Amino acid sequence: MNELVAAALVVGAFSGVDIDHLLDTPILGAEPVFEVVGEDLLAYGEGMALDERDGRAVVLTTDKSFYLELTRELVPGRYMLEIEAAAPNRGSDSYWLVTDGEQLSRPITPPVDTMGKRSAGFEIVEGGGHTIRVILRESPGSVIAGLWLRRVVLDVPREPMLPEMAAAHPRMFFTADDIDGMRARLADETVQAFYQPAGVLTREPPEFQPGRRNGGRFRGLPGYALSHVLEPDPEKLAAIVKWLEVATTYPHCGVDLDAEYFMEGVALSYDWLYHDLPEELRARVRDLICRQTRTVYEASLAGHTGGGLNFQQNHYWYAHLAMILGASAVYGEVPEARDWLAWGWDRAERTFITFSPDGGFHEGPAYWDFSMPTLYMLVDLYEQLTGLRVPGADTGLQGQAVFRLHHMYPGMELSAPLEDTSLPKRRPPTRALLWEAKRYRDAVAMGIAQTLNWGSISHAFNLLWLDETVEPEDPREAVPTAQYYPDIETAFARTSWDDGATYVAVVSRPLGGHLWAELCDRYGISGTGHNHPEQGHFVLFGAGDVLAHDPGYTYEKLTRNHNTILVDGQGQFGDGEMWPGPKPGRARITGFASEGGVTIIAADPSSAYPEELSLTRFDRIVALADEGLVVVCDRLASREPRSFSWLLHHIGQVEEADGLWRILRGDARLAVAPLAPTELVVESSRYLPQYVHPTRDLTPKENAEVGLIELRTAPVRETTFVVPLLVGSAGEPTPEVQALGADGLDGVHVRDIVVAFNRGDGEMSVSLPWDETLTTDARAVVATVRGGERVVVELPAMAAQQMGEEPREAD
């Protein structure tokens, strides 16, 4: 079933939202208070002139003194001011909203060159006459078509918290009834392998520093709070109280990541230690939680939290988890918390129903590690506090541990640094693997958690997400060596689970994956997070080291930073952007076949390139034939003569001899041996990717400078690259490579391995290493001898293999 069709069948149990009404908010009502449009705007301010846009009367802001002002009798409540406007450029594109002389902290920013509605929210505490004013933040030049003031009313469809949970503390992630059982579990050897209670918190709490992130320093507080719950100790409690005392002096920590860090520490500590905190301090902490939660709630109503309306972006998850944690902590004590929590569930359900259904995640392993624990917290809180089952997301949540395992290079220490992944990237957080093992009683996930366990630590969720009764299964026995994920279009393969295996991963997808890309296109949502313009890209690890490299987290995201193709030196949609948004391309993996440690992966990234490059064909096949051999075959065509560049990045030293380029990396060697086309310009260079952001520097401490081998053709309308990659030890000789060029195929013969690629749709005759001939219409064939057994793997013809329906594993 198509991902979008399947997702459309899922309905949020709390809000009733579904895919076909993703941006509708039936629980959010708005009572009209005031409206003024067109020429009538002139009566409400100065610094503007009447103009016309698309046949409509608008006002043009003409002077820096511009303002619009209205005074109205308003009852207490939450209000939204909406402006329909357009700006000519980013220098004159925003306004400040001022209510009763107080300027809001976030501007209203209309779109550039097109009319659009944008809004900002504010609270009226006391009824009576109030003045609302709109002023310029930057230069004049924008046009305004109308202004609307509405009072926000939530129509909560059901109580957002079960009454038995509302009446108790603690209630988030565990209750008082669970405490004795958790204390008893501390004697279990399996529990001890993952968790140990924290000691006394000895670090001093920091004072608030304006203009900086402050919440992150509180994020570890729940580990100490849970330790006190399990092993009550006056010293432990006193240290936590000291931190909470300082926290009450904070104004708030914004509406993005920092807000969640802060609430994860403060709201969970408030809930778990509720009956141990002095009453006067508890009241001040409650006020702080309300202050922070109200700030996020007001921003969320206007779509101004971290992540905006990008339901599959980690900032969106974090911002709304902050609101849900705060609302859940004070629910029943503060009337507003009912609306905060209801709105939080409404927002969370949009994340659940739009999550990728294939068990994968589109932002790379670093952001998997960073983001998935946040999503798991949302799932647990939703189900524990509402009594409802999370809608839809289980389809994609189960299998995430296997997906993350597939990013681990042989040796299980380093992760393939796909997308925005800072280097070096190591193992994932154990707690995220334990969550899946516990939720689904999944023996494989438990085995992965044991295999990748960082050791016994004091993180609260290493205990809360651990079910030690789940018997682990060795993932090296249970998980296939190769697997393809059809929504996020990523394929992983290794020759075995041994430390000395050779590994490849291939990415070819629309940014965000198919489901999210289609939803962004349908609803005009702009944001796919930490994706790169890298379709057709592959990484390679073998002989114990990284051979074909990915530079990881860069701020200028370039196709040229990846192991794919440039057309006349130019890259794909999103090339050069810091945060590429949804793009029109729908790159795909078009074939996947795997057996006995041999894997063939085919991709079509052609639609990822802008139309002006006139690319009509880019078919890539990556064949993992053996520990010592990977072959890449690319067939390229364009409407106009173009120069095609084939790229391979590395972090080794290069030497050239006899048409081979040997990359030496420690004890490992990769020989790049291009067979076709015969006329090539080969350049070996080094460069430093753009790791530096205006606010932070992510330049790796080691291997920041990247090596690049570029194979470049003269301008042609079509060409074929056949590039064997020979993996081995640095000290051993490079094996002989024999080109195969029989009618109908291109290929290579190395030792006892034959790899052949079909030139068309008909049959090809392949001479096998054991003096037999195979006639087949397959797109590619690998024939070899492994463990004394003959192995033949065929990649079926396009018409015979339908991709993208469900996750595929190795046979």
Side-chain angles (χ1 to χ4, degrees):
M1 181 181 292
N2 177 276
E3 295 98 334
L4 199 58
V5 173
L9 302 177
V10 179
V11 178
F14 183 84
S15 69
V17 66
D18 60 33
I19 287 291
D20 290 328
H21 302 87
L22 193 58
L23 299 189
D24 295 344
T25 51
I27 80 166
L28 181 63
E31 297 176 352
V33 175
F34 178 81
E35 172 183 336
V36 57
V37 298
E39 183 178 358
D40 293 343
L41 288 162
L42 295 171
Y44 290 88
E46 296 179 356
M48 53 187 160
L50 188 63
D51 204 339
E52 184 179 296
R53 175 68 66 91
D54 298 329
R56 302 170 62 194
V58 297
V59 294
L60 171 68
T61 60
T62 57
D63 191 84
K64 185 67 177 176
S65 64
F66 160 82
Y67 72 89
L68 284 170
E69 182 176 284
L70 55 127
T71 300
R72 283 292 180 274
E73 291 288 324
L74 302 177
V75 299
R78 176 73 189 166
Y79 290 81
M80 298 291 292
L81 184 78
E82 185 173 63
I83 299 175
E84 184 178 8
N89 54 60
R90 287 297 180 204
S92 55
D93 69 337
S94 54
Y95 313 101
W96 290 118
L97 175 60
V98 182
T99 60
D100 296 328
E102 183 177 346
Q103 181 176 295
L104 269 65
S105 60
R106 294 181 67 93
I108 302 173
T109 306
V112 173
D113 291 332
T114 182
M115 296 297 293
K117 292 183 177 181
R118 298 294 186 267
S119 59
F122 59 94
E123 192 80 16
I124 294 297
V125 178
E126 297 182 0
H130 295 274
T131 300
I132 297 106
R133 174 180 278 232
V134 176
I135 61 174
L136 289 176
R137 181 188 180 211
E138 294 157 317
S139 303
S142 58
V143 295
I144 300 174
L147 181 148
W148 296 263
L149 179 64
R150 301 181 179 94
R151 180 170 178 264
V152 177
V153 180
L154 282 190
D155 181 15
V156 179
R158 59 190 299 161
E159 288 305 313
M161 186 180 290
L162 294 168
E164 60 270 27
M165 301 300 287
H169 285 286
R171 59 194 175 208
M172 287 191 278
F173 303 107
F174 65 90
T175 69
D177 292 340
D178 299 317
I179 294 174
D180 286 343
M182 290 194 297
R183 288 171 176 166
R185 292 170 58 205
L186 296 179
D188 185 277
E189 290 185 359
T190 301
V191 172
Q192 292 172 0
F194 291 100
Y195 175 78
Q196 57 180 312
V200 176
L201 175 57
T202 57
R203 287 181 292 113
E204 290 297 311
E207 299 297 322
F208 185 81
Q209 299 180 49
R212 300 186 62 181
R213 288 185 176 181
N214 292 275
R217 291 166 289 187
F218 285 81
R219 199 178 186 190
L221 208 55
Y224 296 95
L226 182 62
S227 176
H228 175 70
V229 170
L230 300 173
E231 299 175 341
D233 180 334
E235 286 189 62
K236 291 182 180 180
L237 180 62
I240 298 167
V241 164
K242 189 174 184 179
W243 274 69
L244 292 176
E245 287 278 5
V246 172
T248 63
T249 67
Y250 281 31
H252 61 75
C253 290
V255 296
D256 202 343
L257 303 176
D258 211 37
E260 193 283 332
Y261 304 157
F262 194 42
M263 284 296 93
E264 189 172 330
V266 173
L268 289 182
S269 296
Y270 176 89
D271 179 49
W272 295 352
L273 303 179
Y274 186 88
H275 300 291
D276 293 333
L277 297 178
E279 185 174 349
E280 186 272 337
L281 173 61
R282 195 165 64 221
R284 285 188 286 120
V285 173
R286 182 167 57 245
D287 289 344
L288 164 67
I289 292 172
C290 290
R291 190 160 63 243
Q292 177 65 74
T293 307
R294 186 180 296 112
T295 299
V296 178
Y297 171 71
E298 292 176 357
S300 178
L301 288 176
H304 289 162
T305 61
L309 293 176
N310 304 321
F311 309 123
Q312 290 306 318
Q313 219 274 341
N314 70 81
H315 290 256
Y316 181 91
W317 299 0
Y318 270 85
H320 290 92
L321 177 58
M323 179 170 62
I324 288 167
L325 285 166
S328 300
V330 301
Y331 191 91
E333 300 176 272
V334 178
E336 287 175 90
R338 181 175 183 268
D339 282 355
W340 299 339
L341 192 55
W343 183 246
W345 298 146
D346 177 277
R347 301 289 90 185
E349 285 187 338
R350 293 159 208 273
T351 290
F352 299 152
I353 68 174
T354 59
F355 190 72
S356 175
D358 67 4
F361 177 70
H362 68 96
E363 287 194 319
Y367 277 91
W368 191 98
D369 297 352
F370 180 68
S371 305
M372 293 307 292
T374 305
L375 182 59
Y376 296 159
M377 291 174 73
L378 285 169
V379 169
D380 282 357
L381 289 169
Y382 179 92
E383 293 188 344
Q384 292 166 2
L385 298 181
T386 68
L388 303 171
R389 186 72 173 177
V390 67
D394 272 332
T395 306
L397 291 178
Q398 188 162 17
Q400 287 290 332
V402 168
F403 174 73
R404 184 60 180 86
L405 177 70
H406 280 306
H407 285 83
M408 300 302 301
Y409 282 147
M412 298 297 173
E413 291 297 333
L414 292 175
S415 296
L418 301 175
E419 310 297 349
D420 271 350
T421 297
S422 296
L423 302 171
K425 182 59 194 167
R426 301 190 183 277
R427 299 176 176 186
T430 308
R431 65 188 184 278
L433 307 171
L434 293 172
W435 181 89
E436 184 179 343
K438 178 179 180 179
R439 181 175 180 84
Y440 303 107
R441 294 199 58 79
D442 190 312
V444 174
M446 190 64 179
I448 295 170
Q450 286 200 343
T451 299
L452 302 181
N453 186 16
W454 284 95
S456 184
I457 63 173
S458 301
H459 198 290
F461 288 93
N462 266 32
L463 178 67
L464 297 176
W465 286 345
L466 169 63
D467 183 347
E468 61 274 21
T469 69
V470 177
E471 289 293 331
E473 186 174 353
D474 187 345
R476 288 159 290 207
E477 298 293 331
V479 177
T481 55
Q483 193 158 350
Y484 159 60
Y485 291 83
D487 182 60
I488 62 162
E489 296 286 12
T490 305
F492 303 93
R494 64 186 76 214
T495 52
S496 72
W497 285 104
D498 296 340
D499 290 354
T502 296
Y503 166 106
V504 297
V506 179
V507 176
S508 186
R509 61 158 172 256
L511 299 184
H514 287 293
L515 175 62
W516 185 239
E518 290 303 316
L519 292 174
C520 288
D521 187 52
R522 177 189 289 192
Y523 292 109
I525 300 170
S526 59
T528 48
H530 297 271
N531 287 196
H532 289 218
E534 61 176 3
Q535 312 325 316
H537 171 61
F538 69 93
V539 293
L540 170 62
F541 185 101
D545 220 321
V546 177
L547 299 176
H549 180 58
D550 184 322
Y553 200 147
T554 57
Y555 283 111
E556 183 183 32
K557 294 174 173 49
L558 295 170
T559 305
R560 190 175 184 83
N561 293 152
H562 299 89
N563 303 318
T564 185
I565 294 291
L566 299 180
V567 181
D568 277 350
Q570 299 182 59
Q572 301 170 3
F573 287 117
D575 199 37
E577 296 180 13
M578 183 180 293
W579 313 116
K583 304 299 178 188
R586 293 295 181 266
R588 287 187 176 273
I589 286 177
T590 59
F592 175 84
S594 185
E595 182 180 351
V598 175
T599 302
I600 308 174
I601 302 162
D604 177 3
S606 59
S607 67
Y609 292 79
E611 177 68 23
E612 56 266 27
L613 296 180
S614 69
L615 186 68
T616 58
R617 184 181 186 186
F618 178 7
D619 289 325
R620 165 162 282 186
I621 298 180
V622 179
L624 174 60
D626 178 81
E627 285 79 6
L629 179 63
V630 175
V631 186
V632 180
C633 177
D634 295 329
R635 302 198 187 276
L636 297 145
S638 60
R639 288 187 297 274
E640 304 293 334
R642 301 289 186 184
S643 176
F644 297 102
S645 294
W646 189 99
L647 308 178
L648 186 136
H649 294 77
H650 62 87
I651 46 176
Q653 299 301 314
V654 178
E655 56 185 35
E656 187 270 332
D658 301 324
L660 296 176
W661 283 263
R662 287 165 47 94
I663 300 168
L664 303 178
R665 168 78 179 151
D667 294 330
R669 177 263 296 149
L670 178 68
V672 182
L675 300 180
T678 54
E679 298 295 327
L680 281 172
V681 174
V682 182
E683 291 185 359
S684 176
S685 60
R686 305 190 73 84
Y687 72 99
L688 184 67
Q690 179 54 272
Y691 291 115
V692 180
H693 182 272
T695 62
R696 55 178 172 164
D697 185 348
L698 294 179
T699 304
K701 294 180 180 178
E702 297 180 358
N703 303 311
E705 194 176 69
V706 176
L708 171 63
I709 292 179
E710 179 176 352
L711 315 179
R712 188 170 63 251
T713 71
V716 292
R717 281 193 169 87
E718 62 180 46
T719 193
T720 295
F721 284 93
V722 178
V723 186
L725 303 173
L726 304 158
V727 178
S729 298
E732 68 181 15
T734 303
E736 181 181 352
V737 178
Q738 178 185 352
L740 302 178
D743 289 343
L745 67 84
D746 297 290
V748 58
H749 189 166
V750 179
R751 296 189 300 263
D752 58 355
I753 309 166
V754 167
V755 182
F757 304 97
N758 199 326
R759 288 178 180 164
D761 299 327
E763 292 185 337
M764 63 178 175
S765 294
V766 183
S767 297
L768 304 179
W770 43 86
D771 296 326
E772 294 180 7
T773 299
L774 172 67
T775 300
T776 176
D777 66 352
R779 280 182 280 171
V781 172
V782 175
T784 184
V785 177
R786 292 183 63 81
E789 298 290 329
R790 296 175 176 179
V791 177
V792 178
V793 177
E794 300 182 52
L795 181 69
M798 285 287 287
Q801 185 169 34
Q802 298 296 319
M803 303 298 291
E805 291 301 311
E806 58 187 21
R808 293 174 58 88
E809 301 177 355
D811 296 333

